[in-house]
Amino acid sequence: MILLESGIQDLRSFDAKYQLARQLAVYGYRAVIDDATAPETLPGAMKYEAIPYLANISDINIEHMLLIGAEAISDDTLAGLRDHRFAPLTRASAIGRFGDTQSSISAQAKLAYVLGFEPEVHDLTNLQPNPMLQPSLAPLLASKAKEQKRDQRQTQIFLILPKEVLEDESILPYLTVLDQMSGVECRVITAGIGKDQIKTSPSASTRVFGFSELFPATFASMADIAVFYGPNIPGERMASLALDLMRQGGMVIDSTETGALLETGAPVVRGPTDIRSLAMFLQGSILVNRKAIGAEAAEHPWIRENSLERLLEAISFKKPKKQKIRKPREPRTIFFPTNGVGLGHAQRCALVARQMKTSKNVAFTAFPSCVPMLQSYGFDCLPLVQKSEFHSSNGSNDLLNYLRLGHTLDLGDRLVFDGGYVFDSVYRTILEKQLSAIWIRRGLFQPGQTGRTPLERESVFEKVIVPAEVFEELNTNYTYSDHVYHVGPIVQQNELKTKDRNKLRARIKTLFKSPFKKLVVTLLGGGEAADRTAQMQSLCSQFAAHPDCLHLIVVWPNAKISSSLMGWPNSHIVRSMRAAELSQAADFIVSATGYNSFNEAMYHAVPAIFIPQMAPYTDDQERRARAATERDLSVMVLSNELLLLQREVSAFLEGDKANAIRKNLKALRLPETGTKAAAKLIEAGPSK
């Protein structure tokens, strides 16, 4: 195992360490970073980039310690190295850019004193005489591609635009011009302030990334051409992007004011400094020749001089053990349902997956709450980590899920995500693994939910499948593109025939020893959207006065239920995954207005009293319930209307209201379901 250290312990040094760790991993070397050296606060993107390489090194056998930035070694670094107490056979190497021989000898002496043995010291001034960026803390060396590029129909052009360039707002419309060029997709990498500026301009449709949003290697794997603008090269990460892209046969165009990249001797092409001239330059000179230019750049002597292999040869790392070659497996379709506990999303995904002809190559990653249900459908399922109050910080579970997704998915796999918000774990995995990805995105967002980030991340998906609502006025187009597909409602089709319904009611009578005349099912406690204990207590109290009524509180097997709901006469808690069947056996239901439960009530003609759940991350359940109630297809009761709830339950129990609603439901003309259509869209593969 290789331990990476740095001369100075700061954010920049930490970033340089894990960037190098990622590069070493491409060559089969396992490198780690002492988690004690991680800064106390890390930007969100850095957490995801660093976590695969952080370790408690007291539990690890360190064979080689490599220290970068050895020209300036702080006392904190020296103290940390002294405390490690490396084993006698451990090797130590240090690299840096030293102004003279005395500086190199001084660094070696300091390290020897705290290590107890003599380290090797390598001067990058000799090893890398013409670096991409000087001075730089990281070695800034090109590495070979970790994964092959996925075939893309259009040339991917990345514009690196520092904030100084975007101060001239007159150039913003030209971003749209570039993106509209035939056979080209234009992307921008800029600072955070520049990203906000573009997203609030007429060029808002242009896909924009922050400088630190993804690994430089990930950007390089996505790009065919990178065009640099501004005064000079904007930092080490963008310099690393240029190096990796050229090494992989891509093309770098130097449109900086000073020709900063060209001056290094790198095999780049000089481009126009005015972005307004770029479209003509690309069409006239570049696009027809880009592959030949890129291939020539990859073999250029300067690239060989600035490749990671040079450092590996100089340090003579112990050759990594040959890993067992795994038998190539067929590409799989991996479904990832999420949001809340994910039960409704998981059921929707399972319905679609069962309609796929290639279902034998389908698997799931899901929260533990969903695993039993998915396994009952016959699917393999990798449990992910659910959000918990015990996590040290917000988003800790998503970091772990990022690691699990990375280990589960391979190039060529397809990821089908079902949720309202695209988490960082999903977003980064799709881009880093260059996955074919599909988003099953429910509609009916609440006002304010369609912020920039959720829909901005739609661009990483090759297809977006939007299941329809039952009523047309509930269907809203949030984005317009040829990769957005609208299908009918995705709903469980297991309608009970009359004889089966009667048999189920008879079994319930026997099981609960209740000769009921009215059966009521409550479906309010499966998710985390809201606590409905007060409403359920009110129902239990009301049904206790009706001995001819049986009240079943149906929840998922692992749902948390308040003890205050236990022991009521005529009310029982039922943990079951067959809520749809029990609902059809009931005379009426009291239910939340989630997509699945609402559609099942409509399609199976089940009279319902709907109590919308309106947490910040749920869909607009009140709007959905109101649409049905206005058509006399249900009754809506808001969560604070306990007296109204009692009156409506009485009307359903003692009057003819439930039968009238059931009659209206049976006369309703419903749209064709979209489950099969969604399955076909997933199996058809990419559309762009």
Side-chain angles (χ1 to χ4, degrees):
M1 187 71 74
I2 300 169
L3 172 66
L4 296 182
E5 289 284 357
S6 57
I8 297 174
Q9 305 297 330
D10 60 9
L11 198 63
R12 181 184 171 211
S13 303
F14 184 70
D15 180 72
K17 285 191 290 187
Y18 69 69
Q19 296 289 346
L20 181 56
R22 182 179 173 88
Q23 287 187 308
L24 290 171
V26 173
Y27 293 82
Y29 295 98
R30 296 183 62 196
V32 295
I33 300 167
D34 184 0
D35 57 11
T37 66
E40 289 186 9
T41 57
L42 285 174
M46 290 185 71
K47 291 179 182 179
Y48 286 86
E49 292 179 345
I51 193 171
Y53 310 106
L54 293 178
N56 181 350
I57 66 168
S58 62
D59 301 327
I60 296 174
N61 177 31
I62 302 299
E63 298 175 321
H64 200 141
M65 187 279 293
L66 173 62
L67 183 141
I68 63 174
E71 64 272 14
I73 306 177
S74 69
D75 291 341
D76 288 341
T77 295
L78 292 172
L81 291 174
R82 183 179 62 245
D83 292 342
H84 285 330
R85 302 186 183 279
F86 293 107
L89 296 179
T90 303
R91 285 183 60 199
S93 302
I95 58 176
R97 294 190 179 276
F98 303 99
D100 49 46
T101 304
Q102 185 58 44
S103 299
S104 174
I105 293 172
S106 175
Q108 188 174 37
K110 289 179 181 179
L111 291 171
Y113 179 77
V114 298
L115 293 173
F117 57 92
E118 202 77 18
E120 306 167 10
V121 176
H122 301 272
D123 192 345
L124 288 175
T125 307
N126 302 320
L127 185 67
Q128 191 188 19
N130 299 301
M132 174 64 78
L133 189 66
Q134 191 173 5
S136 67
L137 179 62
L140 285 183
L141 296 164
S143 61
K144 63 185 181 182
K146 184 175 183 181
E147 303 283 4
Q148 67 185 65
K149 286 179 182 283
R150 185 160 52 83
D151 290 338
Q152 298 175 108
R153 297 180 183 180
Q154 294 184 303
T155 301
Q156 306 294 307
I157 299 178
F158 278 68
L159 306 179
I160 290 78
L161 303 179
K163 62 180 181 180
E164 298 91 340
V165 177
L166 294 172
E167 288 174 358
D168 180 2
E169 294 187 359
S170 67
I171 72 166
L172 292 175
Y174 288 89
L175 301 180
T176 304
V177 172
L178 289 166
D179 202 22
Q180 296 301 317
M181 286 174 55
S182 177
V184 163
E185 286 187 330
C186 179
R187 308 286 183 249
V188 172
I189 306 177
T190 187
I193 189 171
K195 186 174 180 181
D196 292 336
Q197 187 178 353
I198 292 173
K199 285 301 176 185
T200 55
S201 76
S203 297
S205 60
T206 302
R207 191 166 163 192
V208 187
F209 299 93
F211 283 135
S212 301
E213 191 166 327
L214 296 170
F215 277 115
T218 301
F219 282 133
S221 69
M222 296 164 62
D224 296 307
I225 299 173
V227 190
F228 283 75
Y229 282 93
N232 44 45
I233 305 169
E236 295 178 14
R237 291 177 74 101
M238 293 300 98
S240 183
L241 157 62
L243 282 161
D244 282 350
L245 181 57
M246 288 186 286
R247 176 67 190 279
Q248 296 166 21
M251 185 176 176
V252 174
I253 298 175
D254 183 358
S255 291
T256 61
E257 297 168 10
T258 59
L261 289 88
L262 195 65
E263 283 187 352
T264 67
V268 301
V269 174
R270 184 62 170 154
T273 57
D274 190 336
I275 199 171
R276 300 169 184 87
S277 304
L278 182 60
M280 186 177 296
F281 175 72
L282 291 171
Q283 290 174 324
S285 307
I286 301 302
L287 293 178
V288 293
N289 298 313
R290 72 166 180 85
K291 290 186 178 180
I293 296 171
E296 185 177 338
E299 299 299 324
H300 195 277
W302 186 92
I303 288 293
R304 291 198 295 271
E305 184 181 90
N306 286 273
S307 293
L308 189 63
E309 286 90 337
R310 292 257 299 179
L311 180 64
L312 298 178
E313 290 170 5
I315 296 179
S316 300
F317 281 116
K318 181 181 178 182
K319 288 187 177 181
K321 294 179 180 179
K322 287 188 177 181
Q323 297 181 350
K324 292 182 179 180
I325 300 176
R326 292 187 305 172
K327 289 184 179 180
R329 61 167 173 79
E330 291 184 45
R332 295 187 302 176
T333 298
I334 307 294
F335 282 83
F336 180 11
T338 184
N339 281 54
V341 293
L343 290 164
H345 299 271
Q347 180 172 300
R348 180 162 56 236
C349 286
L351 293 174
V352 174
R354 294 178 75 184
Q355 292 295 327
M356 293 173 61
K357 295 178 181 177
T358 56
S359 58
K360 63 183 180 67
N361 289 328
V362 169
F364 278 75
T365 59
F367 293 142
S369 52
C370 306
V371 172
M373 179 189 71
L374 294 168
Q375 289 178 335
S376 73
Y377 282 124
F379 295 112
D380 291 334
C381 187
L382 171 71
L384 296 177
V385 181
Q386 202 145 351
K387 188 175 181 178
S388 167
E389 60 184 10
F390 299 108
H391 289 128
S392 59
S393 62
N394 188 31
S396 296
N397 71 307
D398 198 52
L399 286 169
L400 296 172
N401 291 337
Y402 166 69
L403 294 177
R404 293 193 180 187
L405 288 172
H407 288 301
T408 303
L409 289 149
D410 289 332
L411 188 72
D413 286 340
R414 181 178 296 126
L415 178 65
V416 181
F417 174 74
D418 187 319
Y421 180 82
V422 181
F423 293 110
D424 288 340
S425 58
V426 176
Y427 177 71
R428 297 186 68 91
T429 301
I430 291 170
L431 291 173
E432 290 172 12
K433 294 277 187 177
Q434 291 289 282
L435 297 174
S436 169
I438 294 171
W439 185 7
I440 300 178
R441 188 191 72 208
R442 50 93 167 157
L444 207 58
F445 286 94
Q446 293 183 50
Q449 283 185 330
T450 55
R452 196 184 78 192
T453 300
L455 295 181
E456 181 182 292
R457 291 185 170 183
E458 178 188 296
S459 59
V460 304
F461 295 93
E462 291 175 342
K463 289 181 181 177
V464 176
I465 299 173
V466 183
E469 297 285 338
V470 169
F471 306 119
E472 188 55 40
E473 74 268 22
L474 301 179
N475 292 313
T476 303
N477 291 323
Y478 298 101
T479 55
Y480 299 86
S481 175
D482 58 2
H483 76 293
V484 178
Y485 297 86
H486 296 268
V487 300
I490 296 178
V491 58
Q492 193 169 189
Q493 294 286 283
N494 60 343
E495 188 170 358
L496 290 180
K497 296 179 181 178
T498 302
K499 65 175 182 178
D500 294 325
R501 181 175 183 270
N502 292 337
K503 284 182 180 179
L504 180 54
R505 287 172 69 94
R507 285 174 57 197
I508 293 171
K509 287 181 178 181
T510 302
L511 181 63
F512 292 99
K513 299 178 181 178
S514 170
F516 64 81
K517 293 181 180 179
K518 296 281 187 179
L519 175 64
V520 183
V521 168
T522 294
L523 303 164
L524 293 173
E528 294 183 340
D531 183 3
R532 291 289 176 258
T533 302
Q535 288 78 10
M536 288 191 281
Q537 283 181 328
S538 175
L539 292 169
C540 290
S541 175
Q542 189 169 4
F543 291 130
H546 290 268
D548 62 341
C549 177
L550 177 64
H551 174 217
L552 301 182
I553 302 172
V554 179
V555 296
W556 292 92
N558 48 12
K560 295 180 180 179
I561 291 294
S562 171
S563 59
S564 64
L565 300 177
M566 300 175 186
W568 286 93
N570 309 325
S571 292
H572 299 273
I573 295 170
V574 177
R575 297 182 180 274
S576 174
M577 293 184 291
R578 300 173 65 182
E581 294 176 53
L582 291 171
S583 295
Q584 291 179 70
D587 291 279
F588 67 92
I589 64 173
V590 182
S591 174
T593 325
Y595 186 89
N596 290 347
S597 54
F598 178 81
N599 283 340
E600 286 167 6
M602 295 297 107
Y603 277 85
H604 300 151
V606 179
I609 298 172
F610 287 123
I611 304 177
Q613 310 251 40
M614 294 298 289
Y617 52 83
T618 64
D619 47 8
D620 197 339
Q621 293 194 13
E622 181 177 338
R623 188 173 160 205
R624 184 182 287 135
R626 196 176 299 280
T629 299
E630 288 173 350
R631 290 172 167 84
D632 293 326
L633 300 172
S634 69
V635 167
M636 182 181 76
V637 176
L638 298 181
S639 59
N640 60 340
E641 298 176 324
L642 290 178
L643 291 177
L644 177 60
L645 175 61
Q646 291 181 350
R647 289 200 299 270
E648 292 294 354
V649 168
S650 295
F652 274 56
L653 281 176
E654 299 162 7
D656 200 42
K657 197 165 187 175
N659 289 332
I661 287 177
R662 191 185 297 274
K663 183 178 179 180
N664 292 342
L665 286 167
K666 288 185 175 180
L668 182 65
R669 294 187 63 181
L670 294 164
E672 183 180 351
T673 59
T675 312
K676 290 183 179 179
K680 287 180 180 178
L681 284 168
I682 293 170
E683 290 184 303
S687 62
K688 66 172 183 176

